Structure formats: C-alpha cells, structure tokens
Amino acid sequence: MTETTGLPPWDSVLAVVAHPDDESFGLGAVLSAFAAVGAAVDVLCLTRGEASTLHGVEGDLSQIRELELRAAADALGARGVTLRDLPDGGLSALDPAVLDDEVEHAMGRAHPDGLVVFDSTGISGHPDHVAATAAAVRAGERHGLPVVAWTLPEEICGALAGEGYAGFLGRPAGEIDLALTVDRTAQLAAVECHPSQAVPGSVLWRRLELQGDTEHLRWLRRP
C-alpha cells in the first residue's frame, strides 16, 4: 500500500453512485477533499433510493431523498448533481447500455478528468453499488479516463463484523493503493443533511469512528 496525503491532480471529478447518501456516507470525505483543492465535483446518482431507504419516514421518499442529496452535495462543495430515477434495487437487472447512457450524459456535462466510485465489491455487496461502479469503469475504458474507488481495509470490516455489523467487504493492504488523510468536517455536515438515513445507532457512525482521519482508495482504472 502506498501511503499518501495527496489526491489525483484532477481539475474535474465525476462521482457515480447508486443511492442518495452514497455521496456522503461513502465518498463524502474524498469528494470534499477534491473540492477543497479547487476541483469541480459533480455527482451522478442513478436512483432516488426509495427501496433502500429506512422505514418509518413520512412523506414522498423520492422527494425527501432528492432534497437531502442536493443539500448534502452543497455541503461537500459539489458543483452539481444529476439525480436519475432508475429502479432502486434493480440496477443490476438493467441492460448495461442503460447505465452506460446515463454515465455518458453526465460525463458530457461534467467533462471529468477522472471518476470516483465505490469499490467493485460494492463495499456492502449491494448489487446496485456494483452495477454503478461497473458502468463508471466501462466509461473510463471508453474514454481513457482513470477510475478511483473508495474501499475499506479488511481490518475495519473485521472489527465491524465482530461488533455485529456484518456484510462489509474489505481489501487486504496489498490491494489498497492510496491512504488519504482527510478532514471529515464537510462530510459530517453532508451526513447531517440525510436525517432520513443517518439515524442514531446506524453502523455509519461506528464505521466513521474506526476509519478515523484516513480514507483508503484503490485504482479500478489507473491513470
């Protein structure tokens, strides 16, 4: 593993995620780090997250989660957000060309130097995460662009599993390329913009505690 406090030297970044809150709960510290050094950050979110939302939330979930996403993106310093309404929980069942078209349109607006995604494991193994990342990697291959993924060390996943939070898929040190020192201030502000999801007792809080001020990244497509 290469230890670094630096980011890829990109002037424009496109994050491709599956659900509203992925940009904050998962990629938040990385995206805010890009924004802090002057990079233009755009977010493509492929679903409105109705199926993956927590229960007991009153109101139109698609509207609630859109408002949360846009507020969170502002907190992270993002330039723009594109929110689509592909089937939450069903991205992996779609023709890959459908996802490819969404990413192509977003890239046409953002003109990114690189893409930021969840690890190819989906972090939690969620098939929507896996499908969104795969679409971004295909776009990177078509356009000759690098793709960097947020991942978790297997030690953190093991610690979470030992505390009853099973399901996270980590990477051994040899599969992690970058260890990035981060300031989580903007990420935590973005997380607070998702009150329908960031509830007390959520595994999110314990995961962030275990991560401390370090984010781990791996190249899915190198520069």
Side-chain angles (χ1 to χ4, degrees), residues 19-20 47-55 60-63 65 84-89 197:
H19 309 124
T47 82
R48 289 179 173 265
E50 301 97 325
S52 60
T53 197
L54 300 177
H55 298 290
D60 182 341
L61 285 174
S62 65
Q63 182 178 25
R65 299 204 73 182
R84 305 300 294 147
D85 58 358
L86 297 180
D88 183 16
Q197 309 302 306

Side-chain angles (χ1 to χ4, degrees), residues 19-112:
H19 309 124
D21 73 35
D22 290 347
E23 84 299 326
S24 300
F25 296 5
L27 304 183
V30 176
L31 297 183
S32 65
F34 273 113
V37 296
V41 176
D42 290 277
V43 177
L44 169 63
C45 181
L46 293 168
T47 82
R48 289 179 173 265
E50 301 97 325
S52 60
T53 197
L54 300 177
H55 298 290
V57 179
E58 296 182 0
D60 182 341
L61 285 174
S62 65
Q63 182 178 25
I64 290 170
R65 299 204 73 182
E66 176 177 3
L67 293 173
E68 291 179 347
L69 169 61
R70 295 192 185 281
D74 286 343
L76 293 174
R79 175 175 65 178
V81 173
T82 299
L83 177 61
R84 305 300 294 147
D85 58 358
L86 297 180
D88 183 16
L91 293 186
S92 63
L94 296 175
D95 184 332
V98 174
L99 302 182
D100 291 350
D101 285 346
E102 296 290 353
V103 178
E104 285 293 327
H105 287 310
M107 290 180 67
R109 289 185 292 269
H111 303 289

